[in-house]
Amino acid sequence: MRPRVAVLGATGRMGAEAVAAVEAAADMDLVARLGSKDSLESVVDAGATHVVDLTVPGSTEANVRFAVEHGLHAVVGTTGWDESRRGRLEDLLARHTGVGVLIAPNFALGSVLATAFAATAARYFESAEIIELHHPDKADAPSGTAARTAELMTRSRSEAGREAMPDATESGLDGARGAIVGDVPVHSVRLRGLVAHQEVLFGGPGEQLTIRHDSFDRASFMPGVLLGLRTVASRPGLAYGLDAYLDLGA
Amino acid sequence: MRPRVAVLGATGRMGAEAVAAVEAAADMDLVARLGSKDSLESVVDAGATHVVDLTVPGSTEANVRFAVEHGLHAVVGTTGWDESRRGRLEDLLARHTGVGVLIAPNFALGSVLATAFAATAARYFESAEIIELHHPDKADAPSGTAARTAELMTRSRSEAGREAMPDATESGLDGARGAIVGDVPVHSVRLRGLVAHQEVLFGGPGEQLTIRHDSFDRASFMPGVLLGLRTVASRPGLAYGLDAYLDLGA
Amino acid sequence: MRPRVAVLGATGRMGAEAVAAVEAAADMDLVARLGSKDSLESVVDAGATHVVDLTVPGSTEANVRFAVEHGLHAVVGTTGWDESRRGRLEDLLARHTGVGVLIAPNFALGSVLATAFAATAARYFESAEIIELHHPDKADAPSGTAARTAELMTRSRSEAGREAMPDATESGLDGARGAIVGDVPVHSVRLRGLVAHQEVLFGGPGEQLTIRHDSFDRASFMPGVLLGLRTVASRPGLAYGLDAYLDLGA
Amino acid sequence: MRPRVAVLGATGRMGAEAVAAVEAAADMDLVARLGSKDSLESVVDAGATHVVDLTVPGSTEANVRFAVEHGLHAVVGTTGWDESRRGRLEDLLARHTGVGVLIAPNFALGSVLATAFAATAARYFESAEIIELHHPDKADAPSGTAARTAELMTRSRSEAGREAMPDATESGLDGARGAIVGDVPVHSVRLRGLVAHQEVLFGGPGEQLTIRHDSFDRASFMPGVLLGLRTVASRPGLAYGLDAYLDLGA
């Protein structure tokens, strides 16, 4: 069935991108766009079958619960869905079988794939490091994405029984070998002109594998949002992370 | 059970690397190394449980059949295993249940993973191209690996219902847009000093994903050979391609 | 003396960027911004010492001649300055000693430096190839920048007495080895999501040198425009190409 | 005049490469190869016009002084030439006008060019960082080459009146932002399988410039040695660093 989509948070920057992306998609219809002052009831009045929530942490939970209670599938890009919120939502979904919700901290397909590939490859190489590169106005180093990637790689290495990485460094300057997250060195580069970029490097005897993701623009989230809208009705219950909808086998 | 390994083709360059790698591995023993004039019987005499075949197309089939008939598991890096040979081997393995054989055209873990990741990612992006870079003494362009990667990517794109890639090129010079394999443009770079390198680039709105493999040295095959030796006894029958032994899920 | 700057073409996209850049610069003042209907006389009335011309090919020559005749230095990013126009301008400048004009087809410092470095390096390596990567809406392949870079590299190779590059390719697919410009293979990649990127690769025995430029945004032209404004008064006569103002020695 | 070359240290690994390179060169002749026990007099007996010194710090000074005193030009890759040694050599060369000596800490053309380009580019960008990548058996981090590159870049930035690089990092993990050499962050990656690689990244508004050098094999030194042999006779006196012989202008 052709999705009839309502965008919540349509006046924000991400919401406006979503409105444009849904309108441009040939296989779904945009039936409502809501700002922060619009009533959720209008979503029902418009005959929506799906909602996209790109609002703020303070309102996303109420929005999604409203959608589920009215039998609408939801694709959610708003942050703030900690474990207790997700637990309550799963309880609600248990009483509304057939409704699907996707909550994704990251909708950029390339970034989600890069992280998944890095977690897989980490089982198979002696050495692995991460270089993340961002604009110089970023306040944290390393980036959240790099830290999460390093944690997933560390878990993969542990499951595969990998030993500590080889490193003969004896003398040097503080910081040269990066920050250690789990057991993965992470290096943060800050350059004027960049947006958000990450490179995961793996080394084994005689070979190197590199997985790089470049994010140039927030338009990168839209193919993931559309993929979510096309898939969510066939996946009842709660999915957390876009990788749940990706076919990652070769 | 601890593998007792015989290396066939031990006097060749790859064979010599395999002898060294098996000797250096803590969880298996080297019990025999055979050159082209040595009798296969000596493998049995040495009490081998596994053979590694790194010989030549003209002798690999007889070697592997001998191993299977004597209940030995085999890891095979020799070329020449076309469909008819593999069919005959599967018939033989059906009569020797419990024996495993791995035939792999490529034992470099990074290369096998890169190809698998590229095939997966091809489902999710509008645009995809391959750049392969080799030393200038290489006779074919594009490389066999690049052509095979392009074919797998084309199949993935087709299965995912992808349309033709966007390309507004109207005027230009012959060759600028590369060779087309399946529906993937492939560019071949030849530079003095290089060994064997491949980069697969994917583009979607606002983002790029790059998967790169660098092969510096034939030592890159040895971790894959050891992985094969550690796994083959638990995988009865014929496996073709090292990816059959890799855990590619995230 | 502190430049007093008038921007011609201030309502266009580049012009608007230039207005913002001059306003943000601590060492110069914006004194006038002209659209296509404004009178050039207002530049004089505003007490400008410098003009930036970011207009259209049909009006740039008259604008620059007006500036020179009134003793104003000019920094010009508009296209259309062929040899005959430049010749006429040099004649005019000969009669207005002390006035400087910079006409630059490209104001991105990184791109200008990358091209200059590539021309220098081409003397010293057996092998050299160019990969240029752009969005898929680009109509020409290879890009103009890549073609120009290849021509400069070909000239350098010729001056250095370099022989033909090594290439043992015997069999292959049409286009795999790229388009040949001068004697340099050029490969054009077109990917959704990209902007404008170029990589020049050099290979010699046991080593590779890579010079890459990524252009993400037209903001990249502004540091070059400001550099031009700071320098042009001290360089009487006509300079063609921003590299004339760069200190390229080590 | 066609150089007649004697290689000192011909039995070492670098010396053996030099012997092969000189023999393969069409425009010079190998007339002597000396090991550590051979008499320097044999160089004169063989009619050498040039010597290549690839010996050890303890003997290189005596070797080069012998060469100069006999009117032979010298190309020197041995380490240990501190300022006092170079001062004594310059005194000697002042008494032997017409004799040229080149002492180069690094003969890899790509590395020397990359360092020179990085020093030049550092004048023109707000942001600059270095990533160096080596095999994991390396004892120091950052590498000597990276530290020297950072120092040259710092000097260039200072001469150009550049302010501190932008960096809004407020919270993070120790080491994420690398080691600071001069005012340039340097990141050291250690991966099994790598040899020696360095990437210098520059960022300005809307653009990035990257200069990368990959060293795969010590064969990379030989084109620089041959360039030295072809040039040294026309450059009387002492040159320190191969860049003295390179034409770095565009």
Side-chain angles (χ1 to χ4, degrees), chain A residues 206-208, chain B residues 108 111 131-136 138 143 145 189-191 193-199 212-217 220-221, chain D residues 216:
Chain A
E207 66 170 343
Q208 183 178 6
Chain B
S111 177
I131 303 168
E132 55 92 345
L133 312 95
H134 284 82
H135 58 84
K138 187 172 179 61
S143 70
T145 299
V189 174
R190 297 290 173 266
L191 290 184
L194 295 191
V195 186
H197 316 259
Q198 182 167 305
E199 208 166 81
R212 180 177 173 115
H213 181 252
D214 294 274
S215 181
F216 302 118
D217 190 293
S220 65
F221 292 110
Chain D
F216 302 120

Side-chain angles (χ1 to χ4, degrees), chain C residues 65-130:
Chain C
R65 295 185 71 90
F66 177 92
V68 173
E69 286 161 357
H70 289 78
L72 311 184
H73 309 290
V75 170
V76 183
T78 312
T79 56
W81 283 90
D82 56 24
E83 277 190 42
S84 68
R85 280 185 168 186
R86 285 169 4 225
R88 288 193 296 267
L89 181 58
E90 288 186 316
D91 292 343
L92 182 66
L93 284 162
R95 302 192 301 271
H96 294 271
T97 54
V99 177
V101 175
L102 168 67
I103 299 176
N106 187 348
F107 274 104
L109 284 166
S111 177
V112 173
L113 288 169
T115 301
F117 294 160
T120 295
R123 304 181 209 275
Y124 297 108
F125 290 91
E126 278 182 62
S127 305
E129 306 205 6
I130 298 175

Side-chain angles (χ1 to χ4, degrees), chain A residues 144-236:
Chain A
T145 299
R148 197 155 35 84
T149 307
E151 284 159 12
L152 291 170
M153 290 165 60
T154 300
R155 191 195 302 169
S156 291
R157 288 176 55 84
S158 167
E159 287 170 2
R162 287 249 150 238
E163 296 174 14
M165 296 183 201
D167 184 358
T169 309
E170 282 175 11
S171 66
L173 298 178
D174 281 353
R177 293 286 292 114
I180 308 299
V181 179
D183 57 7
V184 178
V186 182
H187 310 270
S188 299
V189 174
R190 297 291 172 264
L191 289 184
R192 178 71 72 213
L194 294 191
V195 186
H197 316 259
Q198 180 167 305
E199 208 167 81
V200 186
L201 298 89
F202 297 96
E207 66 170 343
Q208 183 178 6
L209 175 69
T210 305
I211 298 168
R212 180 177 174 116
H213 181 251
D214 294 275
S215 180
F216 302 119
D217 189 295
R218 81 177 66 88
S220 65
F221 291 111
M222 292 310 130
V225 169
L226 296 181
L227 176 69
L229 286 168
R230 288 174 184 128
T231 311
V232 64
S234 64
R235 303 286 182 101

Side-chain angles (χ1 to χ4, degrees), chain B residues 41-56:
Chain B
E41 296 294 337
S42 63
V43 168
V44 179
D45 298 344
T49 58
H50 293 61
V51 303
V52 175
D53 183 275
L54 296 165
T55 59
V56 291

Side-chain angles (χ1 to χ4, degrees), chain C residues 48-189:
Chain C
T49 58
H50 292 62
V51 303
V52 175
D53 183 274
L54 296 164
T55 59
V56 293
S59 59
T60 185
E61 185 173 13
N63 293 342
V64 175
R65 295 185 71 90
F66 177 92
V68 173
E69 286 161 357
H70 289 78
L72 311 184
H73 309 290
V75 170
V76 183
T78 312
T79 56
W81 283 90
D82 56 24
E83 277 190 42
S84 68
R85 280 185 168 186
R86 285 169 4 225
R88 288 193 296 267
L89 181 58
E90 288 186 316
D91 292 343
L92 182 66
L93 284 162
R95 302 192 301 271
H96 294 271
T97 54
V99 177
V101 175
L102 168 67
I103 299 176
N106 187 348
F107 274 104
L109 284 166
S111 177
V112 173
L113 288 169
T115 301
F117 294 160
T120 295
R123 304 181 209 275
Y124 297 108
F125 290 91
E126 278 182 62
S127 305
E129 306 205 6
I130 298 175
I131 302 169
E132 54 92 345
L133 311 96
H134 284 82
H135 58 84
D137 302 323
K138 188 172 181 60
D140 53 323
S143 69
T145 300
R148 198 154 34 85
T149 308
E151 283 158 13
L152 291 170
M153 290 165 60
T154 300
R155 191 194 302 169
S156 291
R157 288 175 54 86
S158 166
E159 288 170 1
R162 286 250 149 237
E163 296 175 13
M165 297 184 202
D167 184 357
T169 308
E170 284 175 9
S171 66
L173 297 178
D174 281 353
R177 293 287 292 114
I180 307 302
V181 180
D183 59 5
V184 178
V186 181
H187 309 271
S188 299
V189 174

